[in-house]
Amino acid sequence: MEEIFVIEDELKKVPGKPGVYIMRDKHDGILYVGKAVNLRNRLRSYFRANIGRGPWIDRMVSLICRFEYIVTDSELEALVLENNLIKEHRPKYNTMLVDDKTYPYIKVTTGEEYPRILFSREMKKDKSKYFGPFTSATAVKDTIELINRLYNLRTCHKVLPRDMNTDRPCLNYHIHQCLAPCQGYISKEEYAKRVEDALDFLNGNYNKILRNLEARMKEAAEKMEYEEAAKIRDLYNSVKQVSQKQKITDSEGEDRDVVALAVEEEDAVIQVFFIRSGRLIGREHFYMKSVTRQGRSEILSSFLKQFYAGTPFIPREIMLQEEIDDREVIEEWLSDKRSQRMYIRVPKKGTKEKLVELASKNAQLVLQQDKDRIKREEGRTIGAMKEIAAWIGLSHLSRVEAFDISNTSGFENVGSMIVYENGKPKRSDYRKFRMKTVSGPDDYACMREVLLRRFSHGLEEAKQLSDKQMEKDYGSFTRFPDLVLMDGGRGQVNIAQEVLNELHLSIPVCGMVKDDHHRTRGLYYQNEEIEIDTHSEGFKLITRIQDEAHRFAIEYHRSLRSKEQVRSVLDEIPGVGPARRKALMKHFENIEAIKAADAVTLHTKAGIPLHIAEEIYSFFHGSVVE
């Protein structure tokens, strides 16, 4: 059974935290990706009554069948993740609503002998180090200015040491913002030390700088140098803003998978964040079964072996939230699959550790939602079965079989058998019956034949299996139901009871009592009508079983009727015998498709000789194709 996503129910579980939300349609395609400071408020706003959002948004909302979300630690992270996902998936409704701008980075040209600190809008795979992305270009520029003022690094485009002493020192040297490495006024070692201090700052060790700025700001204020104090204050605030760590994009530009686990009693969820070229582009969650006796390390290890055995891409690094016992063996196996060294690591600090923590939070959220969904689903399935069992006094009810008959004025009598186990359809056990002994519109006789064939076959199959001691290989007919559910009332129940008595089978049979509008109002069981709550889950399950039996029988009848129609018309065409008729029926959906095809199409598509194809075309159109 398909998982039911009830939007109103799911909205109640959305946390009031920052993050990114993904809207999906009935085909699970991504309609829209957005960010929110408060996911709960933002998602609820989409499903309120029309509030003047415009036809474009209203159209998008009308197509939403489900949504999902990724919780982040800040709005900043949500914004960057939103940008990554939009670029990766190109959702239809984002193209009109969100621009394709890029976010700024701080670039340190560590590939140069005398590195510079620059503003950049893109992250390339060069020898430079990148920090970001950041949402405020102004803050990035201010921070670069601050670092250059603190460490007196160069900003020119000269290639050093090639261009040393080719010109006079620039203005920055004279205003004390550069130590003029172009003139050899600072040694390469001293300059490298200053670059190292700047990198240390950009890596997050900024408390020393902030304390220094705070002291300078107070000192300037005490000297009543308020203009200077204000400048330092602005730089202080810029540093605070830039110091927000970005877990969503990683400056090393590597391919990584971040794997985190959430466990509660018998349930476990694995959350995987996929980082490609340094950008978090998506995530998936996976459910693990039978985890009761396993520790967290064992569950993670089992997941890694099963998941990466079936995926063609192995990242350079897999980050876990905790150590696993067979890390080295799995590492060696995956490195061999990748044909290149890969690593399994457990980060203990910094942005990588924060990213694993974020994956863990999202895994816990999915687990909680899944428990709610399972609880709701059990009410619709196992709980509904228990309700039906209670109504008719059965101690156990697991398998229900329902039967239906379909015909058109006695033409092509067919029967259907559908199976529900634990409240869910078991389609592998569905069966179709084409009447062998009944002609004409006699539903009771048809139902008798269907039931007799079903249970006789089951008894014979069970006997053969018993003789061969193949009890574990039960076929669908061998396993008898706990309850036979008939669409009709007393008449159909009596027919079913007669067949079961003839075969010496003791299986409860229950019928449906209809009201004047042909709607089920109760059950007929053991010669009594039992009232049922028409708002209960048990009643809803009975309705689903009834509708499914009708659908299955009608679709089978319709397919036979369509084939018979094609067969009867084609039989009238000279040169079309059983083999050519079969070829036409195989390659064309119906008689209308054959009529619409020209002789060449009939010849090439169905392999009909050209002169016969011309006969077929002439039969339908009244003229022979030249």
Side-chain angles (χ1 to χ4, degrees), residues 209-406:
I209 297 297
L210 287 174
R211 287 196 299 269
N212 179 270
L213 284 174
E214 192 172 13
R216 286 174 55 190
M217 184 169 54
K218 290 180 179 178
E219 182 181 352
E222 288 173 359
K223 293 180 179 179
M224 293 186 288
E225 297 174 354
Y226 300 119
E227 187 175 345
E228 181 65 18
K231 288 180 181 179
I232 298 173
R233 180 202 61 201
D234 293 340
L235 288 172
Y236 178 92
N237 291 334
S238 294
V239 172
K240 289 286 286 186
Q241 186 172 1
V242 170
S243 66
Q244 295 184 54
K245 285 293 184 180
Q246 296 306 305
K247 299 184 288 293
I248 301 305
T249 299
D250 118 36
S251 60
E252 296 176 24
E254 296 286 356
D255 294 329
R256 291 189 173 93
D257 286 356
V258 181
V259 181
L261 167 70
V263 182
E264 190 170 326
E265 297 176 354
E266 298 180 0
D267 302 315
V269 168
I270 300 282
Q271 183 85 202
V272 183
F273 282 177
F274 301 106
I275 298 174
R276 300 295 177 260
S277 299
R279 294 189 298 122
L280 175 56
I281 63 168
R283 61 89 183 259
E284 290 287 348
H285 58 263
F286 304 88
Y287 301 102
M288 301 291 285
K289 297 180 179 179
S290 307
V291 301
T292 309
R293 299 177 182 177
Q294 293 183 323
R296 294 174 63 88
S297 171
E298 192 176 353
I299 298 170
L300 278 171
S301 179
S302 297
F303 171 78
L304 293 179
K305 287 180 278 192
Q306 294 176 53
F307 178 70
Y308 290 105
T311 181
F313 181 80
I314 308 296
R316 185 176 184 274
E317 184 176 67
I318 297 173
M319 297 195 301
L320 305 179
Q321 65 195 129
E322 54 194 78
E323 292 287 353
I324 55 175
D325 296 333
D326 47 0
R327 178 185 62 80
E328 292 180 359
V329 177
I330 296 177
E331 221 173 41
E332 183 179 353
W333 167 58
L334 292 180
S335 295
D336 185 60
K337 279 196 71 176
R338 189 173 186 262
S339 300
Q340 194 175 356
R341 188 78 170 92
M342 66 80 59
Y343 304 89
I344 297 175
R345 295 191 170 106
V346 181
K348 301 296 184 183
K349 61 181 180 179
T351 57
K352 292 181 181 180
E353 191 271 337
K354 292 294 183 185
L355 187 56
V356 173
E357 183 183 336
L358 188 64
S360 177
K361 287 180 183 177
N362 280 273
Q364 195 64 49
L365 275 171
V366 171
L367 182 60
Q368 187 57 48
Q369 292 169 13
D370 191 53
K371 288 186 68 175
D372 294 340
R373 180 188 61 78
I374 290 172
K375 186 177 180 180
R376 186 172 65 249
E377 189 65 20
E378 284 183 349
R380 298 178 68 254
T381 55
I382 297 174
M385 282 288 212
K386 289 179 179 179
E387 282 186 339
I388 297 170
W391 290 338
I392 58 181
L394 297 180
S395 59
H396 172 74
L397 182 58
S398 174
R399 182 181 173 103
V400 173
E401 292 182 4
F403 300 83
D404 194 30
I405 304 297
S406 180

Side-chain angles (χ1 to χ4, degrees), residues 411-412 434 560-574 576-578 581-582 584-585 590-591 594-595 619-620:
F411 173 77
E412 287 291 3
R434 196 169 183 178
L560 291 178
R561 193 169 68 239
S562 175
K563 291 178 180 178
E564 188 62 34
Q565 179 190 17
V566 174
R567 182 180 295 110
S568 61
V569 172
L570 295 179
D571 284 344
E572 299 177 22
I573 304 174
V576 179
R581 183 181 65 210
K582 185 177 180 180
L584 288 166
M585 292 170 63
N590 49 46
I591 195 68
I594 297 174
K595 285 182 181 180
F619 178 84
F620 289 117

Side-chain angles (χ1 to χ4, degrees), residues 67-211:
F67 59 79
E68 59 182 289
Y69 49 87
I70 302 174
V71 172
T72 60
D73 284 339
S74 69
E75 183 188 5
L76 202 60
E77 290 176 357
L79 188 148
V80 176
L81 176 56
E82 175 198 34
N83 185 52
N84 291 346
L85 293 176
I86 289 171
K87 287 183 179 179
E88 180 68 21
H89 299 290
R90 293 286 179 185
K92 176 181 178 180
Y93 288 87
N94 279 95
T95 55
M96 295 287 289
L97 302 174
V98 177
D99 63 6
D100 194 23
K101 67 180 179 180
T102 56
Y103 295 95
Y105 296 86
I106 295 176
K107 176 180 179 179
V108 184
T109 61
T110 49
E112 298 176 339
E113 289 195 38
Y114 292 86
R116 297 167 294 158
I117 296 181
L118 307 174
F119 178 95
S120 177
R121 283 283 184 182
E122 57 183 345
M123 186 167 61
K124 298 179 180 179
K125 288 190 175 181
D126 51 20
K127 295 181 181 180
S128 300
K129 288 185 179 293
Y130 290 85
F131 297 85
F134 305 103
T135 56
S136 172
T138 301
V140 170
K141 291 174 182 176
D142 285 347
T143 303
I144 292 173
E145 180 187 350
L146 168 66
I147 292 173
N148 286 327
R149 286 177 61 184
L150 288 171
Y151 301 108
N152 304 124
L153 303 179
R154 73 186 185 100
T155 59
C156 64
H157 297 286
K158 290 182 178 180
V159 179
L160 301 182
R162 187 194 70 185
D163 296 338
M164 276 188 171
N165 298 309
T166 57
D167 204 351
R168 291 179 299 176
C170 66
L171 178 63
N172 282 347
Y173 170 73
H174 295 290
I175 62 174
H176 310 294
Q177 288 194 11
C178 177
L179 295 174
C182 61
Q183 303 299 313
Y185 294 167
I186 180 173
S187 69
K188 184 178 178 180
E189 292 72 24
E190 176 60 25
Y191 190 91
K193 177 65 171 63
R194 288 173 176 266
V195 172
E196 187 179 336
D197 289 343
L199 287 171
D200 196 41
F201 166 74
L202 288 170
N203 276 313
N205 300 324
Y206 48 85
N207 287 334
K208 181 179 177 181
I209 297 297
L210 287 174
R211 287 196 299 269

Side-chain angles (χ1 to χ4, degrees), residues 313-535:
F313 181 80
I314 308 296
R316 185 176 184 274
E317 184 176 67
I318 297 173
M319 297 195 301
L320 305 179
Q321 65 195 129
E322 54 194 78
E323 292 287 353
I324 55 175
D325 296 333
D326 47 0
R327 178 185 62 80
E328 292 180 359
V329 177
I330 296 177
E331 221 173 41
E332 183 179 353
W333 167 58
L334 292 180
S335 295
D336 185 60
K337 279 196 71 176
R338 189 173 186 262
S339 300
Q340 194 175 356
R341 188 78 170 92
M342 66 80 59
Y343 304 89
I344 297 175
R345 295 191 170 106
V346 181
K348 301 296 184 183
K349 61 181 180 179
T351 57
K352 292 181 181 180
E353 191 271 337
K354 292 294 183 185
L355 187 56
V356 173
E357 183 183 336
L358 188 64
S360 177
K361 287 180 183 177
N362 280 273
Q364 195 64 49
L365 275 171
V366 171
L367 182 60
Q368 187 57 48
Q369 292 169 13
D370 191 53
K371 288 186 68 175
D372 294 340
R373 180 188 61 78
I374 290 172
K375 186 177 180 180
R376 186 172 65 249
E377 189 65 20
E378 284 183 349
R380 298 178 68 254
T381 55
I382 297 174
M385 282 288 212
K386 289 179 179 179
E387 282 186 339
I388 297 170
W391 290 338
I392 58 181
L394 297 180
S395 59
H396 172 74
L397 182 58
S398 174
R399 182 181 173 103
V400 173
E401 292 182 4
F403 300 83
D404 194 30
I405 304 297
S406 180
N407 64 61
T408 302
S409 299
F411 173 77
E412 287 291 3
N413 285 311
V414 299
S416 70
M417 163 186 149
I418 68 157
V419 180
Y420 269 61
E421 284 193 358
N422 296 318
K424 298 180 181 180
K426 189 177 182 183
R427 292 187 173 86
S428 61
D429 282 6
Y430 284 17
R431 292 295 180 268
K432 305 169 183 175
F433 301 85
R434 196 169 183 178
M435 295 306 109
K436 298 178 178 179
T437 63
V438 182
S439 60
D442 189 341
D443 284 359
Y444 282 174
C446 290
M447 185 61 74
R448 178 179 175 81
E449 179 182 330
V450 168
L451 292 169
L452 193 60
R453 285 167 60 185
R454 182 266 177 270
F455 289 106
S456 296
H457 190 166
L459 288 169
E460 183 62 30
E461 195 175 74
K463 181 180 178 181
Q464 293 174 359
L465 290 172
S466 177
D467 292 342
K468 297 177 182 180
Q469 296 184 342
M470 293 171 61
E471 291 84 355
K472 292 184 179 180
D473 295 330
Y474 282 163
S476 61
F477 278 157
T478 306
R479 186 176 178 191
F480 290 157
D482 302 312
L483 176 68
V484 173
L485 189 61
M486 310 301 295
D487 183 45
R490 183 192 299 267
Q492 288 202 11
V493 169
N494 289 340
I495 291 292
Q497 204 63 64
E498 287 175 12
V499 171
L500 294 171
N501 290 340
E502 286 178 27
L503 299 174
H504 305 290
L505 291 172
S506 179
I507 299 174
V509 182
C510 192
M512 301 180 195
V513 181
K514 307 292 196 312
D515 61 17
D516 295 337
H517 300 286
H518 201 67
R519 293 177 300 200
T520 300
R521 71 163 190 259
L523 296 176
Y524 182 78
Y525 182 66
Q526 293 183 342
N527 298 318
E528 291 184 10
E529 181 178 332
I530 301 171
E531 291 187 5
I532 59 177
D533 179 3
T534 56
H535 296 93

Side-chain angles (χ1 to χ4, degrees), residues 612-624:
I612 300 296
E614 291 173 347
E615 286 285 351
I616 297 171
Y617 186 89
S618 176
F619 178 84
F620 289 117
H621 298 275
S623 62
V624 178

Side-chain angles (χ1 to χ4, degrees), residues 34-46:
K35 70 171 179 65
V37 181
N38 186 308
L39 283 168
R40 180 189 296 121
N41 294 345
R42 187 60 182 273
L43 283 169
R44 284 180 178 276
S45 71
Y46 279 98

